[in-house]
Amino acid sequence: IHIEGFTIINAGNGQGQGAGIFLNGNSPSTNTFIYSTILSCEIAYCNQGIDFWNERGTSTIKNNILRNNFSRGLSTSSGFYYIENNTIVENRNGFRGSSGNVGGRYLKNNIIANNTEYGINEHPTTPINSSFNNIWGNGSGSWLNPPISSVGDISVDPEFISSTDFNLLNTSPCIDAGDPDTDGDKIN
């Protein structure tokens, strides 16, 4: 499954259910591993931005803006997730997972800020590897359960242009704070 370039606003049924993007790998007709990529989407004002349910494959979530969702910006279940270069802001929980030691999470170069509860709220036995993320200003804290590894993470105001424009000001401490070379071109 490959989803790219969509803007999804106000998806759901108005009763706190529904997601901007919902993948269910456990339905009777698709009880199989799902390999998915979600790139360059903006998802706002849904119950959940992106919701994976019993998705047991490998997923890449990259270059998305997940903002102002009523419950979670990103929700995962079992499987392996590569979560990179996303802006996850002003949701109840920025990222929430519930796999219980089934799979792993690899978070890199994300800004996870200003969520009313946790920035990252993952099951305590799920291995999380975190590198070069800015996790800041979340109401209940950055992490419910800490990652097994953390390299280069910071926790500072990202200095967005405004509350609706998530580009960074020239003075932002996030500029050049990510992984020094994510694509091998020797430029950060």
Side-chain angles (χ1 to χ4, degrees):
I1 298 171
H2 183 94
I3 301 169
E4 184 171 358
F6 286 91
T7 298
I8 302 168
I9 308 291
N10 288 322
N13 66 4
Q15 298 174 1
Q17 298 175 347
I21 297 174
F22 176 68
L23 295 174
N24 183 352
N26 200 36
S27 69
S29 62
T30 62
N31 195 5
T32 186
F33 291 94
I34 294 176
Y35 299 91
S36 58
T37 303
I38 300 174
L39 299 171
S40 304
C41 294
E42 180 174 0
I43 304 171
Y45 300 105
C46 303
N47 183 50
Q48 298 177 96
I50 300 172
D51 185 13
F52 293 91
W53 184 253
N54 290 325
E55 206 267 25
R56 296 166 301 186
T58 300
S59 297
T60 300
I61 300 103
K62 189 172 184 177
N63 298 331
N64 299 287
I65 297 173
L66 308 174
R67 65 176 179 88
N68 303 101
N69 293 291
F70 303 116
S71 182
R72 304 165 183 130
L74 174 63
S75 180
T76 62
S77 190
S78 55
F80 292 89
Y81 296 88
Y82 294 87
I83 303 162
E84 299 180 31
N85 302 326
N86 298 287
T87 300
I88 305 174
V89 295
E90 299 176 11
N91 306 284
R92 190 168 98 205
N93 281 288
F95 163 63
R96 183 166 182 180
S98 59
S99 73
N101 204 29
V102 180
R105 311 293 180 264
Y106 303 89
L107 285 77
K108 184 176 183 180
N109 292 346
N110 298 287
I111 297 174
I112 303 171
N114 298 325
N115 297 287
T116 56
E117 291 184 9
Y118 287 99
I120 313 269
N121 179 348
E122 177 59 83
H123 192 279
T125 61
T126 301
I128 301 172
N129 296 280
S130 179
S131 59
F132 302 99
N133 298 290
N134 183 19
I135 306 169
W136 178 82
N138 299 289
S140 298
S142 295
W143 301 91
L144 177 62
N145 297 296
I148 60 170
S149 70
S150 176
V151 175
D153 287 338
I154 59 175
S155 184
V156 295
D157 182 348
E159 297 185 19
F160 296 123
I161 288 179
S162 74
S163 63
T164 58
D165 182 345
F166 299 107
N167 288 297
L168 300 172
L169 293 170
N170 291 335
T171 57
S172 171
C174 294
I175 295 173
D176 290 331
D179 186 324
D181 191 17
T182 60
D183 59 6
D185 67 356
K186 307 284 186 216
I187 300 171
N188 33 332

